[in-house]
Coordinates of all heavy atoms in Angstrom, one line a residue:
Q227 N -2.9 13.2 -3.2 CA -2.5 12.2 -2.2 C -1.7 11.1 -2.9 O -2.1 10.6 -4.0 CB -3.8 11.6 -1.5 CG -4.5 12.5 -0.6 CD -5.6 13.3 -1.3 OE1 -6.1 12.9 -2.3 NE2 -6.0 14.4 -0.7
V228 N -0.7 10.7 -2.3 CA 0.2 9.7 -2.8 C 0.6 8.6 -1.8 O 0.7 8.9 -0.6 CB 1.5 10.4 -3.3 CG1 2.6 9.3 -3.7 CG2 1.2 11.3 -4.5
T229 N 0.7 7.4 -2.2 CA 1.2 6.3 -1.4 C 2.7 6.1 -1.7 O 3.1 6.0 -2.9 CB 0.5 5.0 -1.7 OG1 -0.9 5.1 -1.3 CG2 1.1 3.8 -0.9
L230 N 3.6 6.1 -0.7 CA 5.0 5.9 -0.9 C 5.3 4.5 -0.5 O 5.1 4.2 0.7 CB 5.8 7.0 -0.1 CG 7.3 6.9 -0.3 CD1 7.7 7.1 -1.8 CD2 8.0 8.0 0.5
D231 N 5.8 3.7 -1.4 CA 6.2 2.3 -1.1 C 7.7 2.2 -1.1 O 8.4 2.4 -2.1 CB 5.5 1.4 -2.2 CG 5.8 -0.1 -1.9 OD1 6.9 -0.5 -1.8 OD2 4.8 -0.8 -1.8
L232 N 8.2 1.7 0.1 CA 9.7 1.7 0.2 C 10.3 0.4 -0.4 O 11.6 0.4 -0.5 CB 10.0 1.8 1.7 CG 9.6 3.1 2.4 CD1 10.0 3.1 3.8 CD2 10.1 4.3 1.6
S233 N 9.6 -0.5 -0.8 CA 10.1 -1.6 -1.6 C 10.3 -1.2 -3.0 O 11.3 -1.5 -3.7 CB 9.3 -2.9 -1.5 OG 9.8 -3.9 -2.3
H234 N 9.3 -0.4 -3.5 CA 9.3 0.1 -4.9 C 10.4 1.2 -5.1 O 11.0 1.2 -6.1 CB 8.0 0.7 -5.2 CG 6.9 -0.3 -5.3 ND1 5.6 0.1 -5.4 CD2 6.9 -1.6 -5.1 CE1 4.8 -1.0 -5.4 NE2 5.6 -2.0 -5.2
T235 N 10.7 1.9 -4.0 CA 11.9 2.9 -4.1 C 13.2 2.1 -4.3 O 14.1 2.6 -4.9 CB 12.0 3.8 -2.9 OG1 12.1 3.1 -1.7 CG2 10.7 4.8 -2.9
A236 N 13.3 0.9 -3.6 CA 14.5 0.1 -3.8 C 14.6 -0.3 -5.2 O 15.7 -0.3 -5.8 CB 14.4 -1.1 -2.8
V237 N 13.6 -0.9 -5.8 CA 13.6 -1.4 -7.2 C 14.0 -0.3 -8.2 O 14.8 -0.4 -9.1 CB 12.3 -2.0 -7.6 CG1 12.5 -2.7 -9.0 CG2 11.8 -3.0 -6.6
S238 N 13.4 0.9 -8.0 CA 13.6 2.0 -8.9 C 14.9 2.8 -8.7 O 15.3 3.6 -9.5 CB 12.4 3.0 -8.8 OG 12.4 3.6 -7.6
G239 N 15.6 2.5 -7.6 CA 16.8 3.2 -7.2 C 16.5 4.6 -6.8 O 17.4 5.5 -7.0
S240 N 15.4 4.9 -6.3 CA 15.0 6.3 -5.9 C 15.5 6.6 -4.5 O 15.7 5.7 -3.7 CB 13.5 6.4 -5.9 OG 12.9 6.0 -7.2
D241 N 15.6 7.9 -4.3 CA 15.9 8.4 -3.0 C 14.6 8.6 -2.2 O 13.9 9.6 -2.5 CB 16.7 9.7 -3.1 CG 17.2 10.3 -1.7 OD1 16.5 10.1 -0.7 OD2 18.2 10.9 -1.7
A242 N 14.3 7.7 -1.3 CA 13.0 7.7 -0.7 C 12.8 9.0 0.2 O 11.7 9.6 0.2 CB 12.8 6.5 0.2
M243 N 13.8 9.4 0.8 CA 13.7 10.6 1.7 C 13.5 11.8 0.9 O 12.7 12.7 1.2 CB 15.0 10.7 2.6 CG 15.2 9.6 3.6 SD 13.8 9.4 4.7 CE 14.0 10.8 5.8
E244 N 14.2 11.9 -0.3 CA 13.9 13.1 -1.2 C 12.5 13.1 -1.7 O 11.9 14.1 -1.8 CB 15.0 13.0 -2.3 CG 14.8 14.2 -3.3 CD 15.8 14.1 -4.4 OE1 16.8 13.4 -4.3 OE2 15.5 14.7 -5.5
M245 N 12.0 11.9 -2.0 CA 10.6 11.8 -2.5 C 9.7 12.3 -1.4 O 8.7 13.0 -1.7 CB 10.3 10.4 -2.9 CG 11.0 9.9 -4.1 SD 10.8 8.2 -4.5 CE 9.1 8.2 -5.2
A246 N 9.9 11.9 -0.1 CA 9.1 12.3 1.0 C 9.1 13.8 1.1 O 8.0 14.4 1.4 CB 9.5 11.6 2.2
V247 N 10.3 14.4 1.0 CA 10.4 15.8 1.1 C 9.6 16.5 0.0 O 8.9 17.5 0.3 CB 11.9 16.3 1.1 CG1 12.0 17.8 1.0 CG2 12.6 15.8 2.4
K248 N 9.7 16.1 -1.2 CA 9.0 16.7 -2.3 C 7.5 16.5 -2.2 O 6.8 17.4 -2.5 CB 9.5 16.0 -3.6 CG 10.9 16.4 -4.1 CD 11.2 15.8 -5.4 CE 12.5 16.3 -6.0 NZ 12.9 15.7 -7.3
L249 N 7.1 15.4 -1.6 CA 5.7 15.2 -1.5 C 5.1 16.1 -0.4 O 3.9 16.6 -0.5 CB 5.4 13.7 -1.1 CG 5.5 12.8 -2.3 CD1 5.4 11.3 -1.8 CD2 4.3 13.0 -3.3
G250 N 5.8 16.3 0.7 CA 5.3 17.1 1.8 C 3.9 16.5 2.3 O 3.8 15.3 2.6
D251 N 2.9 17.4 2.4 CA 1.6 16.9 2.9 C 0.9 16.0 1.9 O -0.2 15.4 2.3 CB 0.7 18.2 3.2 CG 1.2 19.0 4.3 OD1 2.0 18.4 5.1 OD2 0.8 20.2 4.5
R252 N 1.4 15.9 0.7 CA 0.7 15.0 -0.3 C 1.0 13.5 0.1 O 0.3 12.6 -0.4 CB 1.2 15.3 -1.7 CG 0.8 16.6 -2.2 CD 1.6 17.0 -3.5 NE 1.2 16.0 -4.5 CZ 2.1 15.6 -5.5 NH1 3.3 16.1 -5.5 NH2 1.7 14.8 -6.4
L253 N 2.0 13.3 0.9 CA 2.3 11.9 1.4 C 1.2 11.5 2.4 O 1.2 11.9 3.5 CB 3.7 11.8 2.0 CG 4.1 10.5 2.6 CD1 3.8 9.3 1.7 CD2 5.5 10.5 3.1
A254 N 0.3 10.7 1.9 CA -0.9 10.3 2.7 C -0.9 8.9 3.2 O -1.7 8.5 4.0 CB -2.2 10.6 1.8
H255 N 0.0 8.1 2.7 CA 0.0 6.7 2.9 C 1.4 6.1 2.7 O 2.0 6.4 1.8 CB -1.0 6.1 1.9 CG -1.6 4.7 2.3 ND1 -2.6 4.6 3.2 CD2 -1.3 3.5 1.9 CE1 -3.0 3.4 3.3 NE2 -2.2 2.6 2.5
L256 N 1.8 5.3 3.6 CA 3.1 4.6 3.5 C 3.0 3.1 3.6 O 2.4 2.5 4.5 CB 4.0 5.1 4.7 CG 5.5 4.5 4.7 CD1 6.3 5.2 3.6 CD2 6.1 4.7 6.1
H257 N 3.6 2.5 2.5 CA 3.8 1.1 2.5 C 5.2 0.8 3.1 O 6.2 1.0 2.4 CB 3.6 0.5 1.1 CG 2.2 0.3 0.7 ND1 1.8 0.0 -0.6 CD2 1.1 0.3 1.5 CE1 0.5 -0.1 -0.6 NE2 0.0 0.0 0.6
L258 N 5.2 0.3 4.3 CA 6.5 0.0 5.0 C 7.0 -1.3 4.6 O 6.4 -2.4 4.9 CB 6.2 0.1 6.5 CG 7.5 -0.1 7.4 CD1 8.6 1.0 7.1 CD2 7.1 0.0 8.9

Side-chain angles (χ1 to χ4, degrees):
Q227 290 91 22
V228 170
T229 295
L230 184 58
D231 185 300
L232 297 183
S233 178
H234 296 174
T235 57
V237 189
S238 64
S240 303
D241 184 326
M243 296 301 290
E244 181 181 338
M245 291 173 76
V247 170
K248 286 183 176 179
L249 283 169
D251 291 343
R252 296 169 61 211
L253 175 51
H255 202 78
L256 181 74
H257 278 167
L258 180 62

